Amino acid sequence: MLLDPLRIPENAWSHSEVLTVLAVRDIGGLFRWITSLTGASQSRIGAAVGLEQGYVSRIMAGRKVTSIDVLERIADGCQMPDQARTAMGLAPRQTAPWADPGRPTPGRSSEPPANRTWQDDVRSAAELWRGDVNRRDVLRQVAFSSAGYTLPALRWFTAPGPAPVKQPGRSAVGQPEIDTIRAMTVTYRQLDNQYGGGQARDAVARYLHEEVTPLLVDGRYEHATGQRLFGAAAELAQLAGWQAYDMAEHGIAQRYLTLALDFAHAAGDNGLGAEILAAMSHQATYLGHTATGLDLARAAGQTARRARIPGLVAEAHVMEAHALAKVNDERACAAALHQAEQALDRADRSTDPQWLSYFDEAYLSAKFGHCFQALGRYSHAERFAARSLRMDDRYVRGRAFNLALLASVHAQQGEPDRACAIGGEALTLTTQLRSARAVRYLRELQTQLAPHRRRPAVRHFTGRIDATLGSRR
């Protein structure tokens, strides 16, 4: 199967010709060797190492790989032993035992995450932000991999407490610089909610590269200031990941979110860590990786309880419920939804972090609607989808999503004319957005209405979709 790990005998890595290929980082030669040894296709290799098939093809044709992050992905995906990793100039993997923070998960690796320092995280972030701004091809060919969330999540739970975040840099960093990052994050988040992830995604990447990187790399700060700086950087990096996710740039989104989680650890911020884990869960479930989505949601819940923020606990339960609904576990989904309601009832929202303000009754209702829709409980889904529209008008993208949800439920209930009327409102809002998710929801609605294509309302509405979004290929 495509997602099975590559089966490479460990003793094969000790062959002199393989070590020679690794020593010069001839990744094309490595991939050709793997193909001859295992019969794996380019798509199979790409799935294992988190790269698009087209990029694997170009590597095998001679394209060089210089990014340490991509080399690490390849080493992890190929399950290289330490001898091979060292030959390629990478650090060996750590082999100390670790304790699973939650329930045991079949098939989960017993390998612990590598012991990274916050300086390693800064170097990785600087490389990511620079590559994103410069639109490096290697970055844009990195594919989403559910396994790519395993090590960061394990590192969150098993890494020792954050080391002192301080350095004797050239330029003093103080509260004004940190406040500026947070103010910019608020502005960019407002743009994201109103116009979609594509509106300011490039601007956020550029701000991280040009303004935040120098503070992290060259700044002079003591531990308390350093932790606040890392917290502000984590919050903005999480937003950048969310924007990339909204634009269907899922591999890039994954890298932003994993680095944001590492920064939150350096900052000692459990609340922000829980929020980032919930975002990871959201993306994994959206892409159909429900087992990963479920594990991440539960990790978010455990972290949120540690942070003692009931609103975050409620959010984690909602993410858990959505993953359970996707696998049709109705009883467990209902229990998670009930726990979410209870947690939100206990929450004192006046003490919530500013970045959690979006999580309100309307958002909760929308997630309930998605859960009941996935379970085929359409009357329940309709009620909650309608309730979700009692929302803050500043969340334009969210309203477009919720309208599309309600229209989809009506289509599934055999009410195409009503679905078209509500879908028309969603389409009008989507024209104001740069959001691949909003487009996807409308395309799914178009598919659901296909059996009713002869009805005038359906013909008119689907024609509007094609005229606005372009005809399907």
Side-chain angles (χ1 to χ4, degrees):
M1 293 179 63
L2 188 65
L3 295 179
D4 286 342
L6 291 170
R7 306 294 181 182
I8 302 174
E10 185 164 345
N11 61 3
W13 292 103
S14 62
H15 293 177
S16 60
E17 64 273 20
V18 178
L19 293 175
T20 299
V21 165
L22 294 174
V24 296
R25 293 182 173 175
D26 178 6
I27 305 304
L30 172 65
F31 286 169
R32 289 191 293 274
W33 172 72
I34 291 173
T35 297
S36 67
L37 182 69
T38 67
S41 65
Q42 292 176 359
S43 296
R44 175 70 195 82
I45 293 172
V49 302
L51 298 173
E52 299 285 356
Q53 178 273 326
Y55 193 61
V56 171
S57 176
R58 291 195 288 279
I59 291 173
M60 294 177 75
R63 188 180 187 101
K64 297 297 183 183
V65 176
T66 58
S67 167
I68 294 297
D69 186 73
V70 174
L71 291 171
E72 287 278 5
R73 276 176 173 255
I74 291 169
D76 290 342
C78 294
Q79 299 182 337
M80 285 186 190
D82 284 349
Q83 180 186 15
R85 294 176 65 92
T86 303
M88 200 159 63
L90 301 177
R93 290 201 287 185
Q94 304 296 317
T95 55
W98 61 276
D100 188 342
R103 61 175 178 78
T105 303
R108 177 177 280 171
S109 168
S110 60
E111 295 285 345
N115 285 332
R116 292 170 59 97
T117 66
W118 64 263
Q119 292 92 340
D120 293 328
D121 297 333
V122 168
R123 284 190 288 270
S124 295
E127 181 181 0
L128 169 63
W129 301 340
R130 180 176 62 251
D132 197 11
V133 168
N134 295 331
R135 298 185 175 277
R136 285 173 52 192
D137 185 53
V138 64
L139 180 61
R140 300 192 177 272
Q141 297 299 330
V142 172
F144 176 88
S145 165
S146 60
Y149 276 151
T150 302
L151 285 180
L154 289 178
R155 190 159 59 237
W156 173 259
F157 280 105
T158 63
V165 182
K166 59 181 181 179
Q167 67 177 13
R170 292 178 298 192
S171 304
V173 177
Q175 196 59 42
E177 288 78 15
I178 296 168
D179 289 343
T180 299
I181 297 173
R182 294 195 184 282
M184 293 298 293
T185 302
V186 169
T187 299
Y188 285 134
R189 186 173 285 118
Q190 290 170 345
L191 292 172
D192 176 64
N193 287 323
Q194 190 167 358
Y195 299 108
Q199 179 63 36
R201 200 184 100 57
D202 290 345
V204 172
R206 193 174 305 110
Y207 186 84
L208 284 165
H209 171 55
E210 296 177 356
E211 304 294 337
V212 179
T213 294
L215 297 176
L216 294 168
V217 173
D218 298 322
R220 182 173 69 253
Y221 41 83
E222 294 301 319
H223 178 60
T225 301
Q227 284 200 307
R228 292 196 296 274
L229 174 62
F230 271 72
E235 195 177 329
L236 186 54
Q238 190 265 351
L239 174 60
W242 192 256
Q243 291 173 318
Y245 165 28
D246 193 45
M247 292 304 295
E249 297 173 334
H250 292 293
I252 297 175
Q254 183 172 40
R255 291 190 61 186
Y256 269 104
L257 291 175
T258 54
L259 278 169
L261 187 65
D262 288 334
F263 274 29
H265 178 266
D269 192 334
N270 283 317
L272 186 55
E275 174 71 0
I276 296 166
L277 287 164
M280 291 175 168
S281 172
H282 197 298
Q283 183 191 24
T285 299
Y286 176 85
L287 293 175
H289 299 272
T290 50
T292 299
L294 183 59
D295 280 347
L296 289 167
R298 288 171 173 166
Q302 183 171 338
T303 305
R305 284 187 286 275
R306 185 191 305 168
R308 298 182 179 180
I309 304 177
L312 270 176
V313 175
E315 180 187 23
H317 281 308
V318 165
M319 298 304 166
E320 179 182 359
H322 199 187
L324 291 165
K326 288 287 189 178
V327 296
N328 205 35
D329 190 340
E330 185 169 353
R331 178 175 295 180
C333 174
L337 291 176
H338 179 62
Q339 289 174 311
E341 284 186 309
Q342 287 183 319
L344 199 60
D345 285 344
R346 292 194 301 269
D348 175 7
R349 305 309 305 276
S350 66
T351 63
D352 279 352
Q354 188 277 334
W355 42 256
L356 192 59
S357 60
Y358 72 90
F359 188 77
D360 56 15
E361 292 290 346
Y363 187 95
L364 188 69
S365 295
K367 297 302 289 186
F368 271 55
H370 281 290
C371 289
F372 286 121
Q373 181 189 37
L375 293 169
R377 300 283 188 156
Y378 298 128
S379 60
H380 288 14
E382 178 187 353
R383 184 170 74 254
F384 282 103
R387 187 182 299 173
S388 74
L389 294 172
R390 305 169 193 164
M391 60 185 299
D392 190 325
D393 289 338
R394 293 174 296 177
Y395 295 99
V396 177
R397 181 182 54 199
R399 180 172 290 277
F401 289 171
N402 295 352
L403 284 166
L405 169 64
L406 182 57
S408 176
V409 171
H410 280 297
Q412 291 168 311
Q413 287 180 308
E415 302 169 345
D417 290 0
R418 184 64 178 148
C420 289
I422 297 170
E425 296 180 54
L427 179 59
T428 298
L429 289 182
T430 299
T431 61
Q432 306 171 28
L433 301 169
R434 293 181 61 190
S435 168
R437 284 191 295 158
V439 170
R440 172 175 161 171
Y441 290 143
L442 284 171
R443 290 301 193 188
E444 290 174 351
L445 176 59
Q446 190 175 24
T447 298
Q448 292 163 347
L449 289 169
H452 309 282
R453 64 175 62 90
R454 294 187 178 182
R455 297 181 67 89
V458 174
R459 194 163 56 245
H460 173 71
F461 175 57
T462 56
R464 276 189 63 199
I465 291 179
D466 288 335
T468 304
L469 306 179
S471 298
R472 280 181 162 175
R473 297 179 180 178

mmCIF file of all heavy atoms in Angstrom, residues 172-199:
data_model
loop_
_atom_site.group_PDB
_atom_site.id
_atom_site.type_symbol
_atom_site.label_atom_id
_atom_site.label_comp_id
_atom_site.label_asym_id
_atom_site.label_seq_id
_atom_site.Cartn_x
_atom_site.Cartn_y
_atom_site.Cartn_z
ATOM 1 N N ALA A 172 19.378 44.890 21.460
ATOM 2 C CA ALA A 172 18.506 44.617 22.604
ATOM 3 C C ALA A 172 17.067 44.411 22.150
ATOM 4 O O ALA A 172 16.557 45.144 21.303
ATOM 5 C CB ALA A 172 18.586 45.760 23.605
ATOM 6 N N VAL A 173 16.422 43.386 22.697
ATOM 7 C CA VAL A 173 15.010 43.109 22.438
ATOM 8 C C VAL A 173 14.240 43.355 23.727
ATOM 9 O O VAL A 173 14.619 42.845 24.790
ATOM 10 C CB VAL A 173 14.797 41.661 21.964
ATOM 11 C CG1 VAL A 173 13.306 41.384 21.772
ATOM 12 C CG2 VAL A 173 15.559 41.386 20.680
ATOM 13 N N GLY A 174 13.183 44.139 23.632
ATOM 14 C CA GLY A 174 12.377 44.438 24.805
ATOM 15 C C GLY A 174 10.896 44.296 24.518
ATOM 16 O O GLY A 174 10.485 43.824 23.450
ATOM 17 N N GLN A 175 10.100 44.734 25.466
ATOM 18 C CA GLN A 175 8.654 44.594 25.320
ATOM 19 C C GLN A 175 8.097 45.329 24.101
ATOM 20 O O GLN A 175 7.156 44.841 23.473
ATOM 21 C CB GLN A 175 7.960 45.074 26.593
ATOM 22 C CG GLN A 175 6.517 44.622 26.715
ATOM 23 C CD GLN A 175 6.386 43.106 26.696
ATOM 24 O OE1 GLN A 175 7.173 42.397 27.317
ATOM 25 N NE2 GLN A 175 5.389 42.614 25.961
ATOM 26 N N PRO A 176 8.623 46.508 23.717
ATOM 27 C CA PRO A 176 8.069 47.174 22.524
ATOM 28 C C PRO A 176 8.146 46.311 21.266
ATOM 29 O O PRO A 176 7.194 46.284 20.466
ATOM 30 C CB PRO A 176 8.938 48.429 22.402
ATOM 31 C CG PRO A 176 9.375 48.715 23.798
ATOM 32 C CD PRO A 176 9.601 47.371 24.406
ATOM 33 N N GLU A 177 9.254 45.585 21.071
ATOM 34 C CA GLU A 177 9.376 44.728 19.892
ATOM 35 C C GLU A 177 8.383 43.567 19.949
ATOM 36 O O GLU A 177 7.772 43.201 18.936
ATOM 37 C CB GLU A 177 10.807 44.182 19.786
ATOM 38 C CG GLU A 177 11.853 45.202 19.377
ATOM 39 C CD GLU A 177 12.280 46.115 20.511
ATOM 40 O OE1 GLU A 177 11.977 45.795 21.696
ATOM 41 O OE2 GLU A 177 12.916 47.150 20.231
ATOM 42 N N ILE A 178 8.196 43.018 21.136
ATOM 43 C CA ILE A 178 7.256 41.913 21.301
ATOM 44 C C ILE A 178 5.830 42.400 21.086
ATOM 45 O O ILE A 178 5.017 41.736 20.420
ATOM 46 C CB ILE A 178 7.434 41.282 22.689
ATOM 47 C CG1 ILE A 178 8.834 40.674 22.799
ATOM 48 C CG2 ILE A 178 6.359 40.241 22.958
ATOM 49 C CD1 ILE A 178 9.229 40.272 24.195
ATOM 50 N N ASP A 179 5.501 43.565 21.632
ATOM 51 C CA ASP A 179 4.162 44.124 21.453
ATOM 52 C C ASP A 179 3.874 44.393 19.975
ATOM 53 O O ASP A 179 2.729 44.245 19.523
ATOM 54 C CB ASP A 179 4.021 45.418 22.252
ATOM 55 C CG ASP A 179 3.963 45.184 23.758
ATOM 56 O OD1 ASP A 179 3.705 44.036 24.159
ATOM 57 O OD2 ASP A 179 4.178 46.148 24.515
ATOM 58 N N THR A 180 4.891 44.798 19.237
ATOM 59 C CA THR A 180 4.699 45.056 17.805
ATOM 60 C C THR A 180 4.344 43.764 17.071
ATOM 61 O O THR A 180 3.447 43.752 16.219
ATOM 62 C CB THR A 180 5.972 45.674 17.202
ATOM 63 O OG1 THR A 180 6.234 46.912 17.849
ATOM 64 C CG2 THR A 180 5.795 45.922 15.708
ATOM 65 N N ILE A 181 5.034 42.678 17.390
ATOM 66 C CA ILE A 181 4.712 41.391 16.753
ATOM 67 C C ILE A 181 3.271 41.003 17.060
ATOM 68 O O ILE A 181 2.512 40.583 16.176
ATOM 69 C CB ILE A 181 5.672 40.286 17.233
ATOM 70 C CG1 ILE A 181 7.103 40.599 16.819
ATOM 71 C CG2 ILE A 181 5.250 38.925 16.660
ATOM 72 C CD1 ILE A 181 8.134 39.639 17.409
ATOM 73 N N ARG A 182 2.878 41.161 18.317
ATOM 74 C CA ARG A 182 1.514 40.777 18.686
ATOM 75 C C ARG A 182 0.480 41.663 18.004
ATOM 76 O O ARG A 182 -0.574 41.188 17.557
ATOM 77 C CB ARG A 182 1.354 40.848 20.209
ATOM 78 C CG ARG A 182 2.211 39.817 20.944
ATOM 79 C CD ARG A 182 1.768 39.648 22.385
ATOM 80 N NE ARG A 182 2.625 38.735 23.121
ATOM 81 C CZ ARG A 182 2.578 37.411 23.046
ATOM 82 N NH1 ARG A 182 1.693 36.839 22.243
ATOM 83 N NH2 ARG A 182 3.388 36.661 23.764
ATOM 84 N N ALA A 183 0.765 42.955 17.891
ATOM 85 C CA ALA A 183 -0.172 43.857 17.212
ATOM 86 C C ALA A 183 -0.293 43.501 15.731
ATOM 87 O O ALA A 183 -1.395 43.516 15.163
ATOM 88 C CB ALA A 183 0.292 45.304 17.378
ATOM 89 N N MET A 184 0.823 43.172 15.110
ATOM 90 C CA MET A 184 0.780 42.768 13.708
ATOM 91 C C MET A 184 0.005 41.464 13.542
ATOM 92 O O MET A 184 -0.733 41.278 12.570
ATOM 93 C CB MET A 184 2.194 42.618 13.162
ATOM 94 C CG MET A 184 2.973 43.929 13.059
ATOM 95 S SD MET A 184 2.199 45.114 11.930
ATOM 96 C CE MET A 184 2.415 44.284 10.355
ATOM 97 N N THR A 185 0.158 40.565 14.496
ATOM 98 C CA THR A 185 -0.573 39.293 14.439
ATOM 99 C C THR A 185 -2.073 39.532 14.506
ATOM 100 O O THR A 185 -2.857 38.904 13.773
ATOM 101 C CB THR A 185 -0.128 38.369 15.582
ATOM 102 O OG1 THR A 185 1.278 38.147 15.490
ATOM 103 C CG2 THR A 185 -0.846 37.033 15.517
ATOM 104 N N VAL A 186 -2.501 40.434 15.375
ATOM 105 C CA VAL A 186 -3.932 40.761 15.474
ATOM 106 C C VAL A 186 -4.436 41.310 14.142
ATOM 107 O O VAL A 186 -5.506 40.913 13.653
ATOM 108 C CB VAL A 186 -4.167 41.777 16.613
ATOM 109 C CG1 VAL A 186 -5.595 42.330 16.557
ATOM 110 C CG2 VAL A 186 -3.901 41.126 17.966
ATOM 111 N N THR A 187 -3.675 42.201 13.535
ATOM 112 C CA THR A 187 -4.082 42.783 12.251
ATOM 113 C C THR A 187 -4.163 41.723 11.167
ATOM 114 O O THR A 187 -5.145 41.651 10.409
ATOM 115 C CB THR A 187 -3.083 43.881 11.826
ATOM 116 O OG1 THR A 187 -3.093 44.915 12.811
ATOM 117 C CG2 THR A 187 -3.458 44.466 10.482
ATOM 118 N N TYR A 188 -3.152 40.874 11.090
ATOM 119 C CA TYR A 188 -3.145 39.830 10.066
ATOM 120 C C TYR A 188 -4.266 38.809 10.298
ATOM 121 O O TYR A 188 -4.851 38.291 9.351
ATOM 122 C CB TYR A 188 -1.791 39.117 10.050
ATOM 123 C CG TYR A 188 -0.676 39.911 9.428
ATOM 124 C CD1 TYR A 188 0.576 39.999 10.051
ATOM 125 C CD2 TYR A 188 -0.844 40.573 8.211
ATOM 126 C CE1 TYR A 188 1.612 40.720 9.480
ATOM 127 C CE2 TYR A 188 0.193 41.300 7.640
ATOM 128 C CZ TYR A 188 1.407 41.365 8.278
ATOM 129 O OH TYR A 188 2.444 42.085 7.705
ATOM 130 N N ARG A 189 -4.575 38.545 11.566
ATOM 131 C CA ARG A 189 -5.660 37.604 11.855
ATOM 132 C C ARG A 189 -7.007 38.189 11.420
ATOM 133 O O ARG A 189 -7.878 37.470 10.911
ATOM 134 C CB ARG A 189 -5.672 37.250 13.347
ATOM 135 C CG ARG A 189 -6.692 36.168 13.679
ATOM 136 C CD ARG A 189 -6.588 35.710 15.116
ATOM 137 N NE ARG A 189 -5.424 34.861 15.312
ATOM 138 C CZ ARG A 189 -4.408 35.134 16.109
ATOM 139 N NH1 ARG A 189 -4.412 36.276 16.783
ATOM 140 N NH2 ARG A 189 -3.406 34.315 16.247
ATOM 141 N N GLN A 190 -7.195 39.476 11.612
ATOM 142 C CA GLN A 190 -8.432 40.112 11.151
ATOM 143 C C GLN A 190 -8.565 40.013 9.628
ATOM 144 O O GLN A 190 -9.648 39.726 9.106
ATOM 145 C CB GLN A 190 -8.454 41.575 11.601
ATOM 146 C CG GLN A 190 -8.623 41.762 13.107
ATOM 147 C CD GLN A 190 -8.389 43.194 13.548
ATOM 148 O OE1 GLN A 190 -7.838 44.022 12.809
ATOM 149 N NE2 GLN A 190 -8.803 43.520 14.782
ATOM 150 N N LEU A 191 -7.474 40.238 8.928
ATOM 151 C CA LEU A 191 -7.492 40.113 7.473
ATOM 152 C C LEU A 191 -7.789 38.675 7.056
ATOM 153 O O LEU A 191 -8.519 38.432 6.087
ATOM 154 C CB LEU A 191 -6.150 40.556 6.887
ATOM 155 C CG LEU A 191 -5.830 42.050 6.998
ATOM 156 C CD1 LEU A 191 -4.394 42.311 6.563
ATOM 157 C CD2 LEU A 191 -6.798 42.866 6.156
ATOM 158 N N ASP A 192 -7.226 37.726 7.776
ATOM 159 C CA ASP A 192 -7.458 36.309 7.486
ATOM 160 C C ASP A 192 -8.939 35.963 7.630
ATOM 161 O O ASP A 192 -9.531 35.303 6.773
ATOM 162 C CB ASP A 192 -6.610 35.462 8.430
ATOM 163 C CG ASP A 192 -6.852 33.981 8.266
ATOM 164 O OD1 ASP A 192 -6.551 33.443 7.186
ATOM 165 O OD2 ASP A 192 -7.333 33.350 9.230
ATOM 166 N N ASN A 193 -9.545 36.406 8.718
ATOM 167 C CA ASN A 193 -10.956 36.105 8.955
ATOM 168 C C ASN A 193 -11.869 36.785 7.937
ATOM 169 O O ASN A 193 -12.906 36.235 7.548
ATOM 170 C CB ASN A 193 -11.358 36.546 10.367
ATOM 171 C CG ASN A 193 -10.789 35.641 11.434
ATOM 172 O OD1 ASN A 193 -10.699 34.438 11.268
ATOM 173 N ND2 ASN A 193 -10.377 36.226 12.552
ATOM 174 N N GLN A 194 -11.505 37.968 7.512
ATOM 175 C CA GLN A 194 -12.374 38.747 6.630
ATOM 176 C C GLN A 194 -12.186 38.420 5.156
ATOM 177 O O GLN A 194 -13.148 38.443 4.382
ATOM 178 C CB GLN A 194 -12.126 40.241 6.852
ATOM 179 C CG GLN A 194 -13.157 41.135 6.164
ATOM 180 C CD GLN A 194 -13.077 42.569 6.650
ATOM 181 O OE1 GLN A 194 -12.283 42.904 7.523
ATOM 182 N NE2 GLN A 194 -13.923 43.426 6.099
ATOM 183 N N TYR A 195 -10.944 38.085 4.767
ATOM 184 C CA TYR A 195 -10.665 37.913 3.340
ATOM 185 C C TYR A 195 -10.080 36.555 2.959
ATOM 186 O O TYR A 195 -9.856 36.307 1.773
ATOM 187 C CB TYR A 195 -9.703 39.018 2.867
ATOM 188 C CG TYR A 195 -10.257 40.408 3.035
ATOM 189 C CD1 TYR A 195 -9.761 41.254 4.020
ATOM 190 C CD2 TYR A 195 -11.292 40.866 2.215
ATOM 191 C CE1 TYR A 195 -10.275 42.536 4.178
ATOM 192 C CE2 TYR A 195 -11.810 42.137 2.373
ATOM 193 C CZ TYR A 195 -11.293 42.972 3.356
ATOM 194 O OH TYR A 195 -11.812 44.242 3.513
ATOM 195 N N GLY A 196 -9.828 35.698 3.941
ATOM 196 C CA GLY A 196 -9.275 34.384 3.631
ATOM 197 C C GLY A 196 -7.769 34.331 3.757
ATOM 198 O O GLY A 196 -7.075 35.351 3.811
ATOM 199 N N GLY A 197 -7.256 33.109 3.798
ATOM 200 C CA GLY A 197 -5.840 32.900 4.044
ATOM 201 C C GLY A 197 -4.927 33.477 2.995
ATOM 202 O O GLY A 197 -3.782 33.838 3.292
ATOM 203 N N GLY A 198 -5.386 33.568 1.741
ATOM 204 C CA GLY A 198 -4.521 34.038 0.672
ATOM 205 C C GLY A 198 -4.298 35.536 0.671
ATOM 206 O O GLY A 198 -3.383 36.021 0.004
ATOM 207 N N GLN A 199 -5.121 36.265 1.390
ATOM 208 C CA GLN A 199 -5.046 37.722 1.330
ATOM 209 C C GLN A 199 -3.728 38.261 1.887
ATOM 210 O O GLN A 199 -3.106 39.145 1.305
ATOM 211 C CB GLN A 199 -6.217 38.342 2.094
ATOM 212 C CG GLN A 199 -6.220 39.862 2.117
ATOM 213 C CD GLN A 199 -6.363 40.464 0.732
ATOM 214 O OE1 GLN A 199 -7.072 39.919 -0.106
ATOM 215 N NE2 GLN A 199 -5.707 41.589 0.473
#
